[in-house]
Amino acid sequence: MEGLSNMIHIAKERAWIRGFQVGSWETNNVEITHLQYADDTLVFCEVEKDQMLFLRVIFIIFEVVSDLHINWGKSFIYPINEVADVDNLAAILGGRVGELPTIYLGMPLGAKSKAKGIWNGVIEKCEKKLTHWNSQHLFLGGRLTMITIVLNALPTYMMSILPAPINVIKRIDVLRRNFLWQENGMKTRKNFTWSNERW
């Protein structure tokens, strides 16, 4: 994968492919052409036939030299905004045309940061975990441990990049509260306050 990264760097230095600029000042601009995580690679380039051809050659050389094979069935080209003749560009590069937003490494790629729909997957995962745990008849301490260690981690990963809408936070709080205060399938207390009454 380091060899693939080096080939893309060389293509950028020779202006065979161009990524996107990050930074607001002329001297601090950084050009991003690719991002890699384990065996996943995101490549950014302009909508030009020549750049697609150069990328295709890089991928072919990578396969021959490394004896690794790119899974073209799982490879997608994602157009940003309107792209003319995107099907032909995808045919040159290989793979299929995908649509944004999509999920990449568990994160919504290309989604609006304030869109409520991108949090549906997180809430569904929380509900799925709770459904499994409900059948185990855990004591209060066990339920509290599961909430603290597992359930809180699911939204935290997404919140490391995107702010959670208030209604999503409230929904997750309701799920946690109902799970914590249940007993044998019955909700014994939805919340508690610090007072003299017993809880």
Side-chain angles (χ1 to χ4, degrees), residues 95-172:
R96 297 173 286 167
V97 178
E99 291 183 4
L100 294 176
T102 186
I103 300 299
Y104 179 72
L105 301 177
M107 288 289 189
L109 185 65
K112 294 181 180 179
S113 61
K114 295 184 179 178
K116 296 175 184 176
I118 62 176
W119 291 90
N120 290 342
V122 173
I123 293 174
E124 287 171 9
K125 285 180 183 177
C126 290
E127 290 173 341
K128 187 175 179 182
K129 293 278 187 189
L130 292 175
T131 302
H132 176 67
W133 295 342
N134 283 336
S135 63
Q136 297 184 6
H137 304 292
L138 299 171
F139 291 108
L140 180 64
R143 292 195 296 269
L144 184 60
T145 301
M146 296 300 251
I147 289 171
T148 304
I149 294 175
V150 181
L151 206 58
N152 288 350
L154 294 173
T156 301
Y157 176 64
M158 184 88 81
M159 286 169 30
S160 65
I161 294 180
L162 302 173
I166 190 69
N167 64 330
V168 171
I169 293 172
K170 287 180 179 178
R171 176 64 182 145
I172 293 172

Side-chain angles (χ1 to χ4, degrees), residues 58-73:
I58 288 170
F59 294 148
I60 291 171
I61 293 171
F62 168 74
E63 286 186 317
V64 170
V65 172
S66 67
D67 201 27
L68 298 173
H69 299 286
I70 296 170
N71 188 341
W72 295 107

Side-chain angles (χ1 to χ4, degrees), residues 1-2 35-41 104-105:
M1 298 309 291
E2 186 178 348
L35 299 171
Q36 291 181 300
Y37 180 80
D39 60 349
D40 286 331
T41 302
Y104 179 72
L105 301 177

Side-chain angles (χ1 to χ4, degrees), residues 36-50:
Q36 291 181 300
Y37 180 80
D39 60 349
D40 286 331
T41 302
L42 282 175
V43 181
F44 305 94
C45 69
E46 295 176 343
V47 185
E48 290 182 5
K49 183 178 178 181
D50 289 345

Side-chain angles (χ1 to χ4, degrees), residues 16-18 45-46 48-55:
W16 293 341
I17 63 170
R18 289 178 293 279
C45 69
E46 295 176 343
E48 290 182 5
K49 183 178 178 181
D50 289 345
Q51 292 190 43
M52 296 295 163
L53 288 169
F54 279 120
L55 282 175

